[in-house]
Amino acid sequence: MKYVVMLGDGMADRPIPSLGNRTPLQAAYKPYMDYVAAHGACGMTHMVPKGMPPQSDTANLAVMGYDPEIYYRGRSPLEAVSMGVELAPTDIAIRCNILTLSDEPDYLDRTMIDYSAGEISNEEGKALVEYLAERMNTEQLELHAGISYRHCLVIHNAELGTDLTPPHDITGKPIRNCMPAGRYGQLLSDFMARSSELLRDHPINRRRIAEGRNPANSCWFWGEGTKPELVPFQELYGVKAGVVCAVDLLKGLGICTGMDVPFVPGATGAKRTDFAAKGKKALELLDSGLDLVYVHVEAPDESGHAGDVECKVEAIENIDRHILGYLMDNLKARGEDFAVMLLPDHPTPIEIRTHSSDPVPFVLYDNRRECIPRALSYCEAEAEKTGLFIEEGHTLMKKFISLDF
């Protein structure tokens, strides 16, 4: 049996007037998703426990079958692992976005314009962060370059207890009341303001402004945490697994759970990525002897944060055609038995441009049999109509692996 977890990050949504009050899942042409929903067990689930923020770290941890209330240690440490950053037990890792703020003279008077600085390229992002690190790193604070706008700050010999706001939660809003607060609030606020002074006239930003693009004119910190300790996935579930992804968060989760985490050329973690390359890499992993592939695609989430309806629909259609459809067609042609778990980790509704705690639609499909309850198509409304609801989303993986559905 081969297992395929197909996760479209932030794929779920709410009805959108421009789509005729349909969600992107309802509007998209996605024959493979609709097929597994019509022949598999389809329902709704909560991936993030009540009381925890609906972020991709907790949600993907749950999709992988780890109870976030037991295993969650924060987002940035997982990204740090992917970057090759060694964390001591007394270190705190914090996500650092380089992003675009408005340009008022007083830093606190500024507004969050763009949490990703226009999905800044890996090359530009790395150059800017390394420029800051050379001028701002100390024995206590170390800034490390990651991918695109996603980077990492390590505070050595530190403790948790700083209140931090995800930048994608405050797009278009003033930052004054969203600045770091608590244990290291002033330290991080000063770092952010200083980073803005250093980045203002950097040649990369001067060029971006001249070209009509958003400058990466400040750091922004969020997602603190400590070194994670996760039981290996194979030890928990008895199957060998790999992760196909582009973002450090998922790579870090894969590394920490003992999964194979290959590099995928062309995978960007942005609104537009090489979907076909991800499908081909997933099949390669299954051919290499792995039992399960966990394919993560960030594009629907990035589209939701950007408020880009067209791009979100396009992303769903590309996932269906170039990844899920590609894998299903190839496995079927070979006569192999396979199962599919299809779902998002959380919704990223276009109307609010950030994550929500709404339940998400899922499908568990086994190509050897008809399962119940089936849905007419794969979308939020049809999944809800089946009446199947799994309160604890982290229990889905066990059902999937054991084919107990």
Side-chain angles (χ1 to χ4, degrees), residues 52 57-58 61 67-75 78 224:
M52 299 186 78
D57 47 9
T58 48
L61 193 63
D67 185 347
E69 293 186 307
I70 296 174
Y71 292 101
Y72 183 63
R73 296 291 183 274
R75 177 194 191 102
L78 296 167
E224 70 170 3

Side-chain angles (χ1 to χ4, degrees), residues 118-294:
E119 293 185 336
I120 192 168
S121 70
N122 292 345
E123 295 76 18
E124 289 178 317
K126 180 180 180 181
L128 291 175
V129 169
E130 289 180 346
Y131 171 80
L132 291 176
E134 290 174 2
R135 289 156 178 79
M136 300 187 69
N137 279 5
T138 66
E139 289 187 3
Q140 183 186 23
L141 301 175
E142 284 188 352
L143 194 59
H144 297 268
I147 295 174
S148 182
Y149 62 89
R150 309 174 183 97
H151 308 279
C152 178
L153 179 75
V154 176
I155 308 181
H156 297 294
N157 298 313
E159 297 179 10
L160 298 172
T162 307
D163 297 324
L164 301 165
T165 301
H168 50 259
D169 283 358
I170 56 171
T171 299
K173 298 179 182 178
I175 66 171
R176 180 178 291 274
N177 295 325
C178 304
M179 295 291 288
R183 189 179 299 278
Y184 299 112
Q186 192 60 55
L187 178 70
L188 297 179
S189 295
D190 291 345
F191 194 112
M192 287 157 52
R194 175 61 177 154
S195 76
S196 180
E197 295 175 11
L198 290 170
L199 291 173
R200 178 181 295 113
D201 294 320
H202 192 282
I204 288 176
N205 279 329
R206 289 204 302 268
R207 183 175 68 248
R208 290 178 67 86
I209 292 170
E211 295 171 351
R213 296 185 291 158
N214 284 341
N217 60 12
S218 184
C219 286
W220 188 274
F221 297 117
W222 62 289
E224 70 170 3
T226 56
K227 186 176 182 178
E229 296 181 5
L230 295 171
V231 179
F233 187 85
Q234 187 171 357
E235 184 178 323
L236 273 182
Y237 295 107
V239 296
K240 294 182 290 184
V243 178
V244 175
C245 61
V247 296
D248 282 318
L249 170 62
L250 269 295
K251 291 181 180 180
L253 271 172
I255 292 168
C256 289
T257 55
M259 298 186 189
D260 283 10
V261 186
F263 172 70
V264 185
T268 64
K271 286 194 294 181
R272 288 181 170 85
T273 187
D274 193 334
F275 296 90
K278 286 193 169 186
K280 291 175 182 176
K281 182 60 68 174
L283 190 61
E284 287 177 15
L285 287 181
L286 292 175
D287 288 343
S288 73
L290 297 187
D291 306 301
L292 180 147
V293 288
Y294 188 104

Side-chain angles (χ1 to χ4, degrees), residues 37 40-44 362 372-377 379-389:
C42 184
M44 301 290 286
F362 73 88
I372 55 172
R374 296 187 289 272
L376 294 177
S377 64
C379 66
E380 302 84 354
E382 292 301 326
E384 186 174 3
K385 286 179 183 178
T386 69
L388 175 61
F389 189 87

